[in-house]
Amino acid sequence: MDSFNQLLLSLDGMLGSAPWFPWVLLGVGFFFTIYLGFPQIRYFGHAIKIVQGKYDKPGDPGDTSHFQALATALSGTVGTGNIGGVGLAIFLGGPAALFWMWMTAFLGMTTKFVEVTLSHKYRIKAADGYYAGGPMFYMERRLNMKWLAVMFAIATVICSFGTGSLPQVNNIAQAMHDSFGIEKALTGGVLAILLGMVIIGGITRIAKVTSTIVPAMALIYVVGALGVIFYNIENIIPSFVAVFRDAFNGSAAVGGFLGASFAYAFNRGVNRGLFSNEAGQGSAPIAHAAARADEPVSEGMVSLLEPFIDTIIICTLTGLVILSSGVWTEKHENLFEGADTYVVAGNYSEENPAEVKQLFSYLSGQPSDVEAYNGSVVVTDGHPLNAQDFTLIHARSIAEDLDFRVGDDEFSGVLNVVDGKFANEDVDIWGKSLVHSVALTNKAFQRGFFGDYGGLIVTLGILLFAFSTAIAWSYYGDRSMIYLFGPKAVMPYRIVYVIAFFWAAIEDTTVIWNLSAVAIVIMTLPNLFGISVLAKEMKDTVKDYWKDPSHK
């Protein structure tokens, strides 16, 4: 697993975490924002009226209402990215990461407007009787690039697992285990059965379920977040100050080894923003293709609301909860994950700035004097006896109060360490360290009016957010399978999807996130290329829409 994780990290380094990717993503959004005259501002009010059904016409072709299409697309975006993704972004990039998530969302509103409009324009009625759309259809029918369409569709199928299924159930299982002690396999099994029952009904059943879940889950989460924000109201202004200060002075005030450069915070914020709202990824157009509408632009306007709701509202609430509570710079007792644990030779201290710099370089893959530890760790009653020989790092911080256990019993014996990794995988390591992702958000929600019950809100939010995301992404995947292989491929895909959903419940969180980071980019780049080529057509389509007096 470690070698696979290293491969994913290498791929992510060349793709999503590479310096060029955020600039490409934001660059396309910035271009269309200027080229189309800031549609995310000018058309915002009109978009709300469309969702309310004020421009609906009897007999409009499609399978779902505007609201149901919006809810389905939101269920695909409002997921672990809003809870665990924000926690990971702030953990890696500090407060500045939140600022770049906002920028990604603002420009992403235009990107989503464009991709949904063009995809809806070239949708088809599939062999199963339902509408099918998405970037692969405009790539083939308008650009005459069948090869690019096939590439996108394959990437969508892969991404349905990498962002839609695997990380969602992984976070659900972890949250249920942390809050209630429920075994991850049990959570995965029950939810896999429920998932199968929903997705077998296709888009009509999916739309009904998501249009019920999305409003309910958003309300619960917002109430819980406000309970923390108002409890720590004196820290809200300083939190905003930190966000803007760190974004513009090129640093991030963080704990442990998270001292990040401008590029680091920028990259992490943009990547997590994309993971959260999916603007430019090409996923939302697949859901919106089912909407009852004869005007592609109207459905595109509906979609520009998604990054606003998903990132500017929900992700901001999560970010303010984490920053105002202060938990992101504190060490908490937790079970260490193997992929997030490193053992280095020698004894290092966070009080020494030079040593911190060396450790940060080591963890970031940069030249460093730090060396991986090779040797043994002698443990008696759970505590290491030769702690002076090594430094254990977990979650990018020096671990404290180490406790080695086998189940509920304290471990005694010798543990072998090879190239900085423990060879004894049956021994659990507990201790205090920084935490990230869902665990960080969970800790933050407990620092409010609801006390420890705030953690239950996060657990419920993860359950509803992540499960609805898995539902939506199953639809994206099966529409892509229809495009590639026809209706006969849908049922085998759904079976594999459900099985993978169960399997991911017991996998390592870090590996899942790394897989998702790679899958997102593989899907995004062809879509950004395609909509850029069709920029003039997009502008002409918008002009034609406003020529109709009934739209004003």
Side-chain angles (χ1 to χ4, degrees):
M1 183 60 69
D2 286 340
S3 59
F4 179 62
N5 190 48
Q6 289 301 319
L7 174 62
L8 291 175
L9 287 172
S10 298
L11 289 173
D12 183 44
M14 293 184 289
L15 298 172
S17 294
W20 56 267
F21 179 70
W23 293 106
V24 171
L25 181 66
L26 294 185
V28 171
F30 179 77
F31 164 74
F32 276 110
T33 293
I34 301 301
Y35 187 64
L36 299 178
F38 290 87
Q40 66 270 66
I41 297 175
R42 293 166 58 207
Y43 306 152
F44 193 88
H46 189 74
I48 294 176
K49 293 179 181 179
I50 294 174
V51 173
Q52 294 173 336
K54 292 187 176 181
Y55 298 97
D56 287 355
K57 301 175 184 176
D60 280 348
D63 306 313
T64 65
S65 67
H66 290 295
F67 176 75
Q68 288 177 325
L70 176 65
T72 300
L74 275 173
S75 70
T77 61
V78 179
T80 57
N82 300 81
I83 300 177
V86 177
L88 183 61
I90 292 176
F91 168 79
L92 292 172
L98 185 59
F99 175 84
W100 294 113
M101 292 183 76
W102 293 340
M103 293 301 99
T104 303
F106 179 74
L107 298 178
M109 291 171 71
T110 300
T111 304
K112 189 160 285 194
F113 170 55
V114 174
E115 63 182 349
V116 168
T117 298
L118 292 173
S119 296
H120 197 279
K121 185 175 183 179
Y122 292 99
R123 67 176 179 170
I124 65 169
K125 195 165 188 177
D128 62 357
Y130 294 100
Y131 280 88
M136 56 276 204
F137 289 96
Y138 79 70
M139 289 173 184
E140 178 182 354
R141 301 182 66 203
R142 177 63 180 88
L143 296 178
N144 296 316
M145 294 182 176
K146 175 78 173 180
W147 61 273
L148 190 65
V150 170
M151 177 181 172
F152 177 87
I154 292 174
T156 303
V157 174
I158 295 173
C159 217
S160 70
F161 294 98
T163 63
S165 175
L166 276 63
Q168 310 305 327
V169 70
N170 184 274
N171 279 277
I172 295 175
Q174 185 65 54
M176 296 297 286
H177 181 269
D178 292 344
S179 298
F180 307 110
I182 300 175
E183 290 297 323
K184 295 179 181 180
L186 178 60
T187 299
V190 172
L191 291 181
I193 293 173
L194 293 176
L195 177 67
M197 293 172 63
V198 174
I199 67 176
I200 199 171
I203 185 57
T204 52
R205 185 179 300 174
I206 288 173
K208 289 179 181 178
V209 172
T210 55
S211 62
T212 301
I213 291 179
V214 169
M217 69 184 186
L219 177 62
I220 294 172
Y221 192 76
V222 168
V223 170
L226 291 178
V228 179
I229 291 172
F230 282 107
Y231 185 84
N232 300 286
I233 192 68
E234 71 279 2
N235 296 328
I236 295 302
I237 292 179
S239 296
F240 274 110
V241 170
V243 169
F244 287 99
R245 179 197 65 214
D246 293 351
F248 290 106
N249 71 10
S251 66
V254 291
F257 306 128
L258 299 182
S261 64
F262 164 82
Y264 205 77
F266 171 72
N267 185 283
R268 295 303 175 179
V270 172
N271 272 291
R272 288 305 133 187
L274 172 60
F275 185 86
S276 178
N277 61 55
E278 298 174 10
Q281 191 173 345
S283 53
I286 301 175
H288 285 281
R292 287 189 291 271
D294 63 350
E295 292 282 358
V297 173
S298 67
E299 196 57 31
M301 290 182 181
V302 170
S303 71
L304 67 77
L305 298 173
E306 291 163 20
F308 180 82
I309 297 171
D310 174 273
T311 305
I312 295 179
I313 294 180
I314 299 179
C315 286
T316 297
L317 288 174
T318 303
L320 290 177
V321 165
I322 293 172
L323 295 175
S324 65
S325 65
V327 298
W328 64 292
T329 59
E330 301 172 359
K331 293 183 180 180
H332 307 271
E333 184 177 2
N334 65 105
L335 174 62
F336 295 173
E337 293 184 342
D340 224 5
T341 302
Y342 302 87
V343 187
V344 299
N347 212 267
Y348 290 85
S349 170
E350 292 174 349
E351 303 301 321
N352 188 321
E355 292 182 354
V356 168
K357 184 177 181 180
Q358 286 294 320
L359 288 168
F360 177 74
S361 297
Y362 174 79
L363 295 174
S364 304
Q366 302 170 7
S368 172
D369 294 333
V370 179
E371 296 181 355
Y373 181 66
N374 285 280
S376 60
V377 175
V378 182
V379 182
T380 298
D381 295 331
H383 304 294
L385 299 182
N386 60 326
Q388 71 280 358
D389 297 334
F390 65 89
T391 298
L392 193 150
I393 299 172
H394 181 256
R396 307 182 72 83
S397 60
I398 293 178
E400 302 173 1
D401 300 337
L402 299 179
D403 187 10
F404 295 83
R405 305 178 194 171
V406 177
D408 294 328
D409 301 323
E410 302 288 358
F411 172 77
S412 293
V414 178
L415 298 174
N416 295 317
V417 180
V418 180
D419 293 331
K421 293 291 183 178
F422 285 97
N424 309 63
E425 296 183 355
D426 57 333
V427 177
D428 294 329
I429 306 174
W430 289 80
K432 289 185 177 180
S433 72
L434 296 178
V435 295
H436 61 76
S437 302
V438 174
L440 177 58
T441 307
N442 191 298
K443 293 290 184 183
F445 265 73
Q446 295 177 40
R447 299 284 182 89
F449 289 115
F450 300 106
D452 291 344
Y453 290 105
L456 299 181
I457 294 176
V458 173
T459 301
L460 181 60
I462 283 288
L463 177 62
L464 295 177
F465 283 22
F467 186 65
S468 64
T469 295
I471 292 173
W473 270 96
S474 71
Y475 177 69
Y476 301 160
D478 82 32
R479 292 297 92 180
S480 297
M481 291 296 289
I482 282 183
Y483 176 80
L484 293 168
F485 306 110
K488 65 181 183 299
V490 171
M491 190 54 66
Y493 164 79
R494 289 175 178 169
I495 292 173
V496 174
Y497 190 85
V498 172
I499 292 174
F501 189 77
F502 168 73
W503 169 80
I506 56 177
E507 280 300 304
D508 189 294
T509 305
T510 305
V511 175
I512 301 302
W513 278 112
N514 290 336
L515 177 60
S516 300
V518 174
I520 287 172
V521 184
I522 294 175
M523 186 176 172
T524 303
L525 291 178
N527 182 52
L528 294 179
F529 167 77
I531 63 175
S532 298
V533 172
L534 296 177
K536 186 178 185 304
E537 178 172 338
M538 176 64 195
K539 193 168 190 176
D540 291 341
T541 303
V542 174
K543 287 182 179 179
D544 291 340
Y545 176 82
W546 289 115
K547 288 179 180 178
D548 188 335
S550 65
H551 296 153
K552 298 179 180 179

